Amino acid sequence: MSTNPGDFGVTTTEILFQAFNWESCKHGGGWYKRLNQQANDIADTGITVVWFPPPSDSLSPQGYMPRDIDKLESKYGNENDLKEAVSAMKSKSMRCLVDTVLNHRCASHKNPGNGQWTQFGGKYNWDDSAIINNDPSFRGRGHGGTGVPLEIAPNIDHQQDFVKRDISDWLNTLQKQIGFEAYRIDYARGFHGRFVAYYIKETKPTFAVGEMWDGLEYDDSYMRPNQDSHRSRIAKWVDSTEKMCKAFDFTTKGLLMQACRAGEYWRLKDSQGRPAGFLGIWPERAVTFIDNHDTGSSQAHWPFPNDKVMQGYAYILTHPGIPTVFYDHVFDWKLKEPIKQLIQIRKEMGITAVCKVHIERADNVMYIARCSKEEKSSKQLYVKLGHGNWAPSAERGWKMRTSGNGYMVWTRDGIPEKEPEPTLKRIQSQMKPFLPVTLEQEMKLTAAAALRPTEEEDLPQKPVPVPAKKETKLDLDENKLIMKCVDAGPGKKKLVIEYEMDAEIADGTEFTITLCAQREDEVDSLVKRLS
């Protein structure tokens, strides 16, 4: 069993739940108390990890401008309320993740020497030597920054030994004193990933996930089809943490929103046939999501289309990576039941962060993918996004499990002992949205006859009347259809289709028959039975 927290969710089915939004700090009765009361509902949804907001004293009510970090008193509640809420979650066999803001910290006092707010309070009472010397707004005396600094608060110098010692001590306190087991790293762009690796090694969380958020690639307002450079930047950051930290998959978030909004499902498949987001290149390090307190909620910096949210969940809850469910969608939008159904299916099928996915269609009509825990697993699922008319064969054991606006999911557990016969009717019904199985009668006729002057007269002949072009689609009697395989040279087979019909229909007519199968294994199975 791997001891690397980056491998969390590789062998187990994990669901992360963000248990707050941007307005939660304003809840009159205290947010921790509310979560304590909702522990049963959260567990019943199928959640395995609960993400709590920043717990420390903060200049901003949401907690993202931390001040005296050892003081666990916030707008969400006091330390005792926090302990009880965490305990309630753990009593339901759920882990708890704490949102940590390590990049920056607000001072409690002014520096008497220069009048800057650079004197920190509480147990970890640093001075301006804890601030990077190229901070855009504060005059730090530390080392140069190692990331992209913020302007709104002092950026902490993680190269200082006392900073690393104190932050490690604080994180260990959150684990031992409160009961947290995992971390979210806020604004991970602000400092180098090697410091994240250091804190993980010093405190040994079950897992950690970083917010490595930067913009996708655009040409003006048009999202570029290829977002490889964006997901590569996320991968580079994860690599810098010595592969110990996961990252939120902002690439998939952007591509999935555009795909669902505009029906551009082709965006979800890359040039190698893999999922086009970060999960397509490093699934065990990807944490997928639909919205969070920044992108959605009252901030709505980058919200998922309201009427497509369940399409989004149908995707992330059936695909690789660790999926995240947002509090608003479960409790405020009343989407608990459809989300719960998708989570149940994920667990039943044993879908993990590294599950196998085969994308069978991704175009402007629909997206179809087959997913399973392992390549040859007997438990499999199909997910379809879009409104196209398609479904896997019930004769092959597929059962429709859940559906909603623009999505459907089917599962099967084991391949039927007796395969259904490859009748034209079955193939036609299953493959209708791909390529129609039809027998077409085409009368290829000219629009007009040529004019031919003769020796006897210098006048053109009258045009020869011809019937208009006609295409006819015939109803087939499958009892008259014969399919067989014949030798076609060394190591080759040819599929021959014969059909009995009246000579007056067949005379002078060209026919086209198109035969399709859903997947390669269906083709192989078809050929074996006909051989």
Side-chain angles (χ1 to χ4, degrees):
M1 184 177 179
S2 174
T3 57
N4 185 341
D7 291 330
F8 180 75
V10 167
T11 59
T12 55
T13 301
E14 305 293 343
I15 309 293
L16 178 62
F17 178 70
Q18 181 173 5
F20 63 98
N21 59 37
W22 194 248
E23 304 298 322
S24 299
C25 58
K26 302 175 184 178
H27 185 68
W31 193 252
Y32 294 147
K33 291 182 178 179
R34 182 182 181 90
L35 292 180
N36 194 342
Q37 296 167 355
Q38 292 179 321
N40 285 332
D41 269 344
I42 294 170
D44 182 64
T45 307
I47 303 304
T48 63
V49 183
V50 181
W51 165 10
F52 278 74
S56 298
D57 164 58
S58 172
L59 190 63
S60 65
Q62 290 80 14
Y64 290 97
M65 298 283 280
R67 193 163 39 194
D68 295 350
I69 58 176
D70 61 299
K71 184 180 179 182
L72 302 181
E73 304 284 335
S74 71
K75 295 297 183 180
Y76 300 103
N78 60 38
E79 182 175 336
N80 188 61
D81 294 336
L82 175 59
K83 286 181 180 179
E84 290 183 354
V86 168
S87 178
M89 301 301 172
K90 298 183 77 168
S91 71
K92 303 298 179 183
S93 301
M94 294 182 287
R95 302 178 189 271
C96 293
L97 175 149
V98 60
D99 205 330
T100 65
V101 184
L102 307 183
N103 174 73
H104 52 276
R105 182 182 170 192
C106 295
S108 299
H109 311 284
K110 284 185 178 181
N111 184 320
N114 58 22
Q116 291 282 315
W117 286 86
T118 56
Q119 185 63 49
F120 301 94
K123 179 180 179 180
Y124 311 115
N125 55 345
W126 309 329
D127 59 16
D128 54 3
S129 63
I131 303 172
I132 60 174
N133 62 28
N134 59 333
D135 189 288
S137 303
F138 300 85
R139 301 171 187 173
R141 294 188 296 111
H143 301 85
T146 57
V148 182
L150 286 176
E151 296 185 2
I152 58 174
N155 292 264
I156 299 304
D157 179 10
H158 293 273
Q159 297 178 77
Q160 298 283 26
D161 288 339
F162 69 87
V163 168
K164 290 188 288 187
R165 179 199 65 214
D166 289 350
I167 288 180
S168 297
D169 179 68
W170 176 62
L171 292 173
N172 277 320
T173 298
L174 291 175
Q175 288 196 51
K176 296 173 184 177
Q177 192 168 310
I178 306 301
F180 286 114
E181 300 176 60
Y183 314 140
R184 172 188 180 263
I185 312 299
D186 180 67
Y187 194 66
R189 297 175 63 202
F191 58 105
H192 198 276
R194 69 177 181 271
F195 301 112
V196 174
Y198 176 88
Y199 297 128
I200 288 175
K201 286 185 285 188
E202 288 295 307
T203 63
K204 298 178 176 56
T206 301
F207 92 102
V209 54
E211 182 201 27
M212 182 59 186
W213 183 8
D214 66 356
L216 273 69
E217 308 296 329
Y218 285 84
D219 289 322
D220 295 325
S221 61
Y222 177 73
M223 182 186 291
R224 293 178 186 172
N226 188 320
Q227 295 292 334
D228 286 351
S229 60
H230 186 269
R231 63 179 178 178
S232 293
R233 290 196 295 274
I234 298 177
K236 184 178 179 180
W237 181 83
V238 170
D239 201 50
S240 75
T241 71
E242 299 179 26
K243 304 177 178 61
M244 292 186 178
C245 191
K246 298 180 186 292
F248 283 106
D249 191 349
F250 283 91
T251 317
T252 291
K253 155 78 167 167
L255 291 169
L256 186 59
M257 284 200 305
Q258 182 62 22
C260 293
R261 177 190 293 114
E264 297 173 352
Y265 300 109
W266 49 268
R267 290 184 179 274
L268 301 177
K269 181 179 179 180
D270 71 9
S271 59
Q272 299 182 46
R274 305 170 301 184
F278 177 52
L279 66 87
I281 59 173
W282 209 346
E284 60 267 44
R285 296 297 184 269
V287 177
T288 54
F289 68 104
I290 300 304
D291 266 325
N292 60 31
H293 60 287
D294 286 325
T295 66
S297 189
S298 59
Q299 293 202 98
H301 290 316
W302 200 32
F304 213 91
N306 288 358
D307 61 335
K308 307 296 183 184
V309 162
M310 281 309 304
Q311 269 197 56
Y313 277 118
Y315 181 90
I316 69 170
L317 288 170
T318 56
H319 277 62
I322 292 181
T324 307
V325 175
F326 190 30
Y327 181 94
D328 292 20
H329 298 150
V330 172
F331 290 104
D332 297 341
W333 294 29
K334 310 301 181 185
L335 296 177
K336 176 187 173 180
E337 288 307 316
I339 290 173
K340 178 181 176 180
Q341 290 171 0
L342 288 167
I343 292 174
Q344 287 177 334
I345 292 170
R346 185 178 182 89
K347 290 183 175 181
E348 287 176 19
M349 296 297 106
I351 301 299
T352 67
V354 292
C355 72
K356 305 302 178 183
V357 55
H358 297 273
I359 301 173
E360 299 185 3
R361 178 171 180 172
D363 53 30
N364 284 328
V365 178
M366 68 181 96
Y367 172 89
I368 299 171
R370 178 169 48 91
C371 307
S372 57
K373 181 178 181 179
E374 298 171 349
E375 196 67 52
K376 296 184 179 180
S377 175
S378 62
K379 293 184 176 182
Q380 301 175 332
L381 67 81
Y382 259 119
V383 58
K384 181 191 76 172
L385 306 182
H387 296 278
N389 183 21
W390 179 89
S393 172
E395 293 178 286
R396 291 178 61 83
W398 292 100
K399 297 179 181 179
M400 202 276 285
R401 295 290 303 279
T402 187
S403 64
N405 180 24
Y407 74 92
M408 298 184 79
V409 178
W410 300 260
T411 64
R412 73 173 179 182
D413 187 355
I415 299 175
E417 292 184 8
K418 182 178 180 181
E419 291 282 3
E421 291 301 317
T423 62
L424 181 71
K425 181 178 180 181
R426 185 182 72 81
I427 297 173
Q428 186 174 25
S429 66
Q430 298 305 312
M431 298 311 301
K432 185 176 180 181
F434 290 85
L435 287 174
V437 179
T438 60
L439 186 64
E440 296 180 353
Q441 182 184 31
E442 296 183 359
M443 299 180 179
K444 298 183 177 179
L445 305 168
T446 58
L451 300 179
R452 299 180 181 178
T454 64
E455 294 181 0
E456 290 80 10
E457 55 183 352
D458 200 22
L459 297 174
Q461 296 181 3
K462 294 181 179 180
V464 178
V466 294
K469 180 178 179 181
K470 183 178 182 182
E471 292 185 359
T472 304
K473 195 174 286 187
L474 300 180
D475 292 329
L476 300 182
D477 181 352
E478 62 183 61
N479 294 322
K480 297 180 181 180
L481 181 71
I482 300 173
M483 291 186 283
K484 59 186 178 181
C485 271
V486 298
D487 290 328
K492 296 182 179 179
K493 292 284 187 178
K494 180 168 64 175
L495 182 62
V496 176
I497 300 176
E498 298 178 355
Y499 188 77
E500 178 184 341
M501 65 171 56
D502 295 336
E504 54 192 44
I505 297 178
D507 188 32
T509 304
E510 293 184 5
F511 302 95
T512 300
I513 295 179
T514 304
L515 180 65
C516 301
Q518 284 176 254
R519 306 192 310 270
E520 291 182 3
D521 63 333
E522 278 206 330
V523 176
D524 294 340
S525 177
L526 177 65
V527 171
K528 287 178 182 177
R529 289 197 296 272
L530 294 173
S531 298

